[in-house]
Amino acid sequence: MLTIFLHVFIILTSIVSKNDTIQSHTEKKPNIIVFIADDFGYGSTNVYGASEELIKTPNINKLAKEGVKFTNAYTTGSVCTPTRYALMTGQYSWRTNLKKGVVNMNDPALIDVERKTLPKYMQSLGYKTAMVGKWHLGFKEKKFNNLLGNIYPAPTDYGLDYSFALPNNLDDGHKVYIENNKIYGLRSDKISPYGKSFYGKQYKGYDAPQRVTEQVTDDLTNKSIEWMKSLDKDQPFFLYYAAAAVHHPIVPSPQMRGKSNAGAYGDFIQDIDRSLGDLIAFLEERGIRENTIIIFASDNGGDIPNKKNVMPENFAINKGLQINGDYKGDKHTIWDGGFRIPFIVNYPKEIKGDQTSNVTISTVDIYCFLADYIGNNKGLDLEDAPDSYSFKKAVLKPNKFYERPPLVHRDAQGRRAIRFEGWKFIEEKNKDTNKKMNAEMLFSLTKDKKESTNLAKTETAIVYKAKNYLSKIIEKSSKEIWKNN
């Protein structure tokens, strides 16, 4: 009798164990790639309006076709650093000491090492984390002359298990990569300044491999794949891929040179698409594509230089490419051309494809979307990601009503705007209201998407409401004022 009981017990235990294994497999956390292109305007892909006669973006097109495409997505800043800070922290950058502009080449780290960043949160959920690409959030505790020696803080001090970073941008004066907390491939402490970057300053001249601008896209793509390949197949990972393109200088790879009909700028756009395609191809070869969330977005709108006859961006525009769609302004400005971006969420395993949503979302919301979708917000306190809101509802049911609480933007000069309930209010730049562009402005986004008619003098009740909202949000975090709908 005892023998029969033991035999039955072993069989039942085996069945339970097997079911547990099946359950844990089906509940395996998804991998995540957050792909942020640089200076990549709203109209710079076929799925957002660019003609295939000028450029071809098949991988981005497919990502949208098989996912959710947002047509009303924005950044928090119209320049690089504010968006990258908000992505990492879920907080507006103007709450720090960076009230305008961006982090410069020798500036200290902007993020407080004690803050619970998005990578730290992902680590708490059991993820391996990495960042590859453009950092632009500063290094070290104080302003510095060079990046020799061990760097603290470095990206790996913010919850990243691995990082391979361009310190600032494609052609910054450091001209090297930073791997984890050291200059990549550094041979000695010798410094020999040489040449000049796109911005007119001499390269530092570290005794280390100097970046080759035309090869940066491939360097970053290959490093990302190399890192993903190093992980166990069942290990969930979070990869923040910060592309260097299409920020100037416009230097497409040899593989893409001459492949578009929009000149070098069009070729460079196609490099972004090629890089995304290479990452997806690796996921497919690895057998993990179905269980990988990919978010594709940009850090701000496209840059339109003033030298209209000589710059590649303007050549593409003259060919008919509307890099920021038909929206007013570009990078640096307070207009929507500087903030409105392509934004795609793709997850084959769970999110229905071929959908479009026109709800308002922002790159600052990526933090809380992932925390909500994957972690059920477990472990998040009120002070964590204080300006971020989950758009999970809009991803799962894109046509169902979802209204984000008011969203604040800031331009390169530090001027703020607030978007709410179909309106956009821009604060007064200064007291010199003799210049119309310096005065406070109000636009109806439902009737005037090109921001051409200032209604501030007639819609006084809306202006009052907007200023009240802006005043509150400057004093308190967004989540202390508004709950997520």
Side-chain angles (χ1 to χ4, degrees):
M1 188 73 178
L2 181 60
T3 303
I4 295 171
F5 175 79
L6 287 172
H7 183 66
V8 172
F9 177 78
I10 290 168
I11 291 172
L12 289 173
T13 304
S14 175
I15 291 170
V16 171
S17 176
K18 187 175 181 181
N19 286 341
D20 283 348
T21 302
I22 292 170
Q23 185 178 13
S24 66
H25 178 72
T26 57
E27 292 179 357
K28 182 178 180 293
K29 292 184 178 73
N31 305 305
I32 301 154
I33 296 179
V34 178
F35 188 117
I36 303 294
D38 197 1
D39 290 2
F40 198 83
Y42 182 83
S44 297
T45 71
N46 302 138
V47 288
Y48 283 90
S51 168
E52 289 193 14
E53 293 182 3
L54 292 172
I55 60 168
K56 289 182 171 61
T57 56
N59 295 299
I60 299 172
N61 299 348
K62 186 179 180 185
L63 199 72
K65 180 71 176 173
E66 297 175 355
V68 182
K69 178 183 77 171
F70 289 88
T71 59
N72 214 17
Y74 302 88
T75 60
T76 56
S78 59
V79 281
C80 308
T81 299
T83 295
R84 294 166 196 282
Y85 178 86
L87 171 66
M88 286 284 288
T89 66
Q91 182 185 51
Y92 294 130
S93 65
W94 46 263
R95 296 197 190 280
T96 71
N97 59 6
L98 188 75
K99 306 302 180 188
K100 64 179 182 177
V102 297
V103 166
N104 293 316
M105 194 174 98
N106 297 329
D107 281 350
L110 184 62
I111 303 174
D112 182 350
V113 290
E114 299 301 318
R115 180 164 287 281
K116 188 184 290 181
T117 61
L118 174 56
K120 282 183 182 178
Y121 182 75
M122 298 312 299
Q123 282 182 333
S124 75
L125 298 180
Y127 280 73
K128 287 292 183 182
T129 61
M131 175 269 169
V132 176
K134 176 173 173 174
W135 180 240
H136 213 169
L137 289 168
F139 299 89
K140 300 192 175 185
E141 296 176 289
K142 296 179 181 178
K143 203 170 182 70
F144 56 88
N145 292 320
N146 61 64
L147 287 169
L148 295 174
N150 290 331
I151 301 166
Y152 178 84
T156 45
D157 295 300
Y158 298 107
L160 292 160
D161 295 307
Y162 176 76
S163 69
F164 188 80
L166 281 79
N168 282 54
N169 56 48
L170 185 57
D171 200 34
D172 62 52
H174 293 294
K175 196 61 172 175
V176 292
Y177 294 111
I178 305 300
E179 186 171 38
N180 297 326
N181 68 338
K182 293 180 181 178
I183 293 173
Y184 174 69
L186 186 67
R187 294 176 286 260
S188 73
D189 288 347
K190 182 180 178 182
I191 292 181
S192 299
Y194 74 97
K196 287 189 177 181
S197 78
F198 178 85
Y199 307 98
K201 293 185 178 180
Q202 278 190 319
Y203 295 120
K204 285 286 187 180
Y206 300 110
D207 184 18
Q210 303 291 287
R211 295 192 313 259
V212 178
T213 50
E214 293 86 350
Q215 294 176 5
V216 168
T217 295
D218 282 344
D219 289 346
L220 301 182
T221 307
N222 292 338
K223 277 291 179 182
S224 297
I225 292 172
E226 184 181 300
W227 177 75
M228 290 188 289
K229 196 178 287 186
S230 74
L231 302 174
D232 185 89
K233 190 175 178 180
D234 293 325
Q235 169 64 55
F237 65 79
F238 168 86
L239 170 64
Y240 165 30
Y241 181 88
V246 293
H247 193 291
H248 50 229
I250 308 305
V251 283
S253 68
Q255 295 95 312
M256 280 294 114
R257 195 171 299 141
K259 293 293 177 68
S260 79
N261 289 319
Y265 191 74
D267 300 344
F268 215 22
I269 287 174
Q270 294 188 171
D271 260 328
I272 285 285
D273 188 78
R274 183 175 65 91
S275 177
L276 174 66
D278 287 346
L279 294 177
I280 291 173
F282 169 77
L283 298 175
E284 290 172 344
E285 290 167 13
R286 187 91 160 174
I288 57 175
R289 173 66 188 99
E290 288 290 306
N291 197 40
T292 301
I293 297 172
I294 298 178
I295 298 175
F296 178 88
S298 175
D299 65 343
N300 47 252
D303 194 8
I304 304 176
N306 292 326
K307 300 176 183 177
K308 297 191 182 299
N309 296 322
V310 297
M311 301 300 280
E313 297 93 330
N314 297 106
F315 178 88
I317 291 168
N318 292 336
K319 281 282 188 178
L321 183 65
Q322 291 182 280
I323 64 176
N324 292 320
D326 56 0
Y327 295 96
K328 184 176 181 177
D330 65 331
K331 177 182 178 179
H332 302 106
T333 72
I334 199 66
W335 311 114
D336 271 5
F339 302 106
R340 187 182 286 251
I341 55 166
F343 196 113
I344 300 165
V345 179
N346 178 295
Y347 182 24
K349 186 177 177 182
E350 290 187 5
I351 295 174
K352 186 180 176 183
D354 201 15
Q355 298 191 91
T356 300
S357 175
N358 64 357
V359 304
T360 298
I361 63 170
S362 173
T363 45
V364 70
D365 299 330
I366 290 173
Y367 190 142
C368 275
F369 164 66
L370 292 174
D372 184 16
Y373 193 87
I374 297 168
N376 294 317
N377 295 312
K378 182 181 177 182
L380 272 193
D381 297 322
L382 186 64
E383 65 268 21
D384 301 324
D387 299 305
S388 180
Y389 290 94
S390 172
F391 50 88
K392 177 180 173 180
K393 291 179 182 178
V395 168
L396 297 179
K397 295 182 179 179
N399 298 315
K400 196 168 175 114
F401 179 75
Y402 164 81
E403 185 175 8
R404 189 198 190 282
L407 173 66
V408 179
H409 306 295
R410 81 116 164 123
D411 68 8
Q413 300 304 314
R415 191 179 191 183
R416 282 179 291 239
I418 188 165
R419 180 181 304 273
F420 68 102
E421 300 166 13
W423 297 94
K424 179 180 175 183
F425 172 75
I426 302 171
E427 67 182 358
E428 183 180 71
K429 187 175 180 180
N430 56 42
K431 299 300 179 185
D432 180 16
T433 52
N434 290 328
K435 294 181 181 178
K436 287 185 179 180
M437 290 300 101
N438 287 347
E440 62 187 25
M441 291 181 273
L442 179 73
F443 300 100
S444 169
L445 299 175
T446 55
K447 299 176 182 178
D448 181 21
K449 71 176 185 178
K450 293 193 176 181
E451 301 171 276
S452 57
T453 305
N454 182 6
L455 302 175
K457 296 236 189 290
T458 56
E459 298 286 351
T460 53
I462 301 297
V463 168
Y464 177 81
K465 189 175 187 179
K467 291 169 91 167
N468 185 44
Y469 278 169
L470 197 52
S471 176
K472 281 183 178 180
I473 206 168
I474 289 170
E475 293 299 319
K476 296 182 177 181
S477 73
S478 301
K479 287 183 177 176
E480 289 180 270
I481 309 168
W482 298 289
K483 291 182 178 179
N484 201 3
N485 293 330

